[in-house]
Amino acid sequence: MADPGGGAVCNGTLHNQSASDCHRGNCWKNGVVKESQQNGNSNFYKPFVESFEEAPLHVMVFTYLGYGIGTLFGYLRDFLRNSGIEKCNAAVEREEQKDFVPLYQNFENFYTRNLYMRIRDNWNRPICSAPGAVFDVMERVTDDYNWTFRFTGRIIKDVINMGSYNFLGLAAKYDESMRTVKEVLETYGLGVGSTRQEMGTLDKHKELEDLVAKFLNVEAAMVFGMGFATNSMNIPALVGKGCLILSDELNHASLVLGARLSGATIRIFKHNNMQSLEKLLRDAVIYGQPRTRRAWKKILILVEGIYSMEGSIVRLPDIVALKKKYKAYLYIDEAHSIGSVGPTGRGVVEFFGIDPRDIDVLMGTFTKSFGAAGGYLAGRKDLVDYLRTHSHSAAYATSMSPPVAEQIIRVMKLIMGLDGTTKGLQRVQQLAKNTRYFRQRLSQMGFIVYGNEESPVVPLLLYMPAKVAAFARHLLERKIGVVVVGFPATPLAEARARFCVSAAHTREMLDTVLEALDEMGDLLDVKYSRNRKSARPELYDEMSFELED
């Protein structure tokens, strides 16, 4: 997989696979996967349960009607602004540049100007404490309908944090367990001031990379200072012109950007839909590149472990089977799943009992479960050695801060039990318990909840934009901090609240949140669940997908 400009042999040379994959713990049948614990010999079967329930028809009608009315009023307000009757606070062209090509496209900013601005106060809320199970929020108000904000000087104390990706509760204020981080700060300082290829490789980076490889049970790993750039700056080093990328339609923006920067041909398959993926793989092998019909130099499948907007988990055993069948490469982004799923927190690879050698490129970030920053790429040693030379991040980006590296080392040793305790494993298990409890209670209350029952990312569907705003505002009044998400991060009619469960949440905290959500669901009438099948079978039900000619 090293050279994007390699020979014409389709996809290069893959690993030789054992004829008896079941002995490595990755058997699967009828949607039930066999999960093997890496810290023991016991195997058990876990059902793959995901839910994507459709909303009642009247909810969708009123949702689109609400957007329609908002659009009409937006055009009216634009008319008033253009006529000088209403003050325009948006960016406008300077009068002396009226003959230039417009820098600000009026229609493209219509949504931001007239719809998003009405509920803008629900985003970018500043906090002034560590993002633990509770945090402090700086109160702000607006005098011009959310165009600008001013701080009142009041601090909203002890807000229950249901929005941060602090899965294991390790993003917390300083305590004695962080003593080694303090010592590294005193010894190395904060910054490195150089790239990895120049003077920026420290012994701490080497220690961390060896530990990551051991944690993932692979040959080698390389760490980077920024999680987003781990994808966007390294995918172009792996594939290029003459290669094909098959990307899940719900992949993160960092994967999308990296794929676009690579210059490779990109084709999209339906989310977690194996028939859609197999059709693209089969066509790629049969027909090759457009016009020339030459074989693709490489075929790379891009997927995520947990999809952060849907709360769904990748169907990894199915994808690995297709990857082997069509001799493609597999790149998996475990940003949200590493540390948060699997018996010992080793991500979806462990969750499904897959041999790590079956994954060509393992990617993850340290920004969620590890309470730090940066990311990693791991796999075979020749792959990592190639990236050390050709990675844009290694050549141009500054190295990871030493105290950050030490924080990751500290947390990883905690999860692995190398600190001599079982505290890390207890946190992983507590996260799983909290996740199942929170999801089950929401479903019992009648909310539409998306995703896998094991996913700590819990999307609760709200649909209507006015209810999205009211939902977040009322919960903050009850000292509960939530993240609400709407278009363009989600489909237009599928706005939602996204809860992130943490091991640091106590049962009392979760019950407080659930009690408030129960009351809010009745107040705003957002308990839409009727246990119906998905309205988008082409997205969620792979058996309904029909192959096109």
Side-chain angles (χ1 to χ4, degrees), residues 520-531:
M520 202 60 55
D522 294 330
L523 176 66
L524 300 179
D525 193 22
V526 292
K527 295 182 178 179
Y528 301 126
S529 179
R530 299 295 185 274
N531 295 316

Side-chain angles (χ1 to χ4, degrees), residues 37-338:
Q37 298 182 5
Q38 293 192 11
N39 60 343
N41 297 320
S42 61
N43 294 325
F44 61 94
Y45 285 89
K46 181 188 293 291
F48 189 84
V49 181
E50 290 192 343
S51 173
F52 297 96
E53 183 183 347
E54 71 170 352
L57 178 60
H58 74 276
V59 174
M60 302 307 294
V61 170
F62 282 114
T63 299
Y64 283 111
L65 184 62
Y67 277 109
I69 293 174
T71 301
L72 291 176
F73 273 93
Y75 280 115
L76 174 61
R77 296 190 69 181
D78 276 355
F79 172 77
L80 296 177
R81 294 185 187 111
N82 294 333
S83 302
I85 300 174
E86 179 182 334
K87 180 182 177 181
C88 180
N89 293 306
V92 295
E93 300 290 343
R94 296 164 57 186
E95 182 63 27
E96 56 267 32
Q97 291 182 316
K98 61 182 181 181
D99 295 328
F100 284 51
V101 175
L103 182 61
Y104 305 106
Q105 295 295 328
N106 195 49
F107 181 77
E108 291 178 1
N109 293 324
F110 180 88
Y111 176 85
T112 301
R113 192 170 57 246
N114 295 298
L115 297 176
Y116 167 73
M117 200 59 63
R118 290 173 173 267
I119 57 177
R120 182 177 171 230
D121 57 297
N122 295 291
W123 288 274
N124 306 312
R125 286 173 173 160
I127 69 172
C128 53
S129 68
V134 295
F135 56 17
D136 300 335
V137 179
M138 301 173 66
E139 185 182 63
R140 60 181 184 175
V141 295
T142 178
D143 301 314
D144 53 6
Y145 305 102
N146 290 338
W147 286 97
T148 60
F149 296 96
R150 61 179 176 85
F151 294 107
T152 64
R154 175 174 172 257
I155 305 298
I156 306 174
K157 293 282 190 177
D158 298 328
V159 177
I160 299 177
N161 180 8
M162 296 300 298
S164 298
Y165 290 128
N166 187 19
F167 293 132
L168 296 182
L170 294 168
K173 61 183 180 181
Y174 181 81
D175 58 32
E176 186 57 27
S177 67
M178 301 180 187
R179 176 180 45 83
T180 57
V181 178
K182 181 181 178 181
E183 292 173 354
V184 167
L185 174 62
E186 293 173 346
T187 303
Y188 292 84
L190 272 174
V192 178
S194 183
T195 67
R196 291 294 301 273
Q197 289 190 2
E198 295 172 347
M199 302 288 290
T201 296
L202 306 180
D203 55 347
K204 279 294 169 187
H205 297 145
K206 183 67 169 62
E207 179 185 354
L208 174 57
E209 289 173 346
D210 291 343
L211 189 62
V212 170
K214 181 178 179 181
F215 180 67
L216 298 175
N217 195 25
V218 295
E219 295 178 8
M222 183 176 181
V223 298
F224 305 89
M226 181 180 177
F228 189 98
T230 304
N231 279 330
S232 61
M233 294 291 99
N234 285 294
I235 292 176
L238 299 175
V239 291
K241 188 176 180 181
C243 299
L244 175 65
I245 292 176
L246 302 181
S247 178
D248 189 291
E249 65 177 344
L250 296 183
N251 274 343
H252 189 264
S254 59
L255 290 168
V256 174
L257 178 59
R260 290 175 177 174
L261 291 175
S262 70
T265 300
I266 305 170
R267 291 176 183 163
I268 309 300
F269 63 92
K270 300 295 183 180
H271 174 54
N272 256 351
N273 190 308
M274 296 304 105
Q275 288 188 344
S276 175
L277 174 58
E278 184 167 16
K279 179 182 184 299
L280 293 178
L281 283 168
R282 187 168 61 246
D283 288 349
V285 172
I286 293 174
Y287 300 113
Q289 301 182 43
R291 294 190 299 274
T292 65
R293 299 304 180 190
R294 292 179 179 175
W296 295 100
K297 294 177 180 177
K298 301 189 189 86
I299 300 176
L300 179 65
I301 303 171
L302 293 183
V303 293
E304 293 187 53
I306 293 179
Y307 293 84
S308 61
M309 286 299 166
E310 307 295 319
S312 58
I313 294 179
V314 65
R315 295 180 180 272
L316 190 57
D318 306 52
I319 291 179
V320 168
L322 289 177
K323 167 226 180 222
K324 293 178 179 179
K325 179 179 179 180
Y326 292 96
K327 295 181 171 54
Y329 290 107
L330 178 57
Y331 183 115
I332 182 168
D333 177 349
E334 291 223 59
H336 298 88
S337 55
I338 194 70

Side-chain angles (χ1 to χ4, degrees), residues 162 434 437-438 505-514:
M162 296 300 298
N434 288 350
Y437 176 74
F438 192 71
H505 288 140
T506 64
R507 181 59 61 89
E508 291 74 22
M509 290 179 184
L510 294 179
D511 286 339
T512 299
V513 174
L514 288 165

Side-chain angles (χ1 to χ4, degrees), residues 204 207-208 211 405-413:
K204 279 294 169 187
E207 179 185 354
L208 174 57
L211 189 62
E406 178 59 30
Q407 162 68 2
I408 302 166
I409 292 171
R410 181 186 74 87
V411 171
M412 195 165 288
K413 287 182 177 179

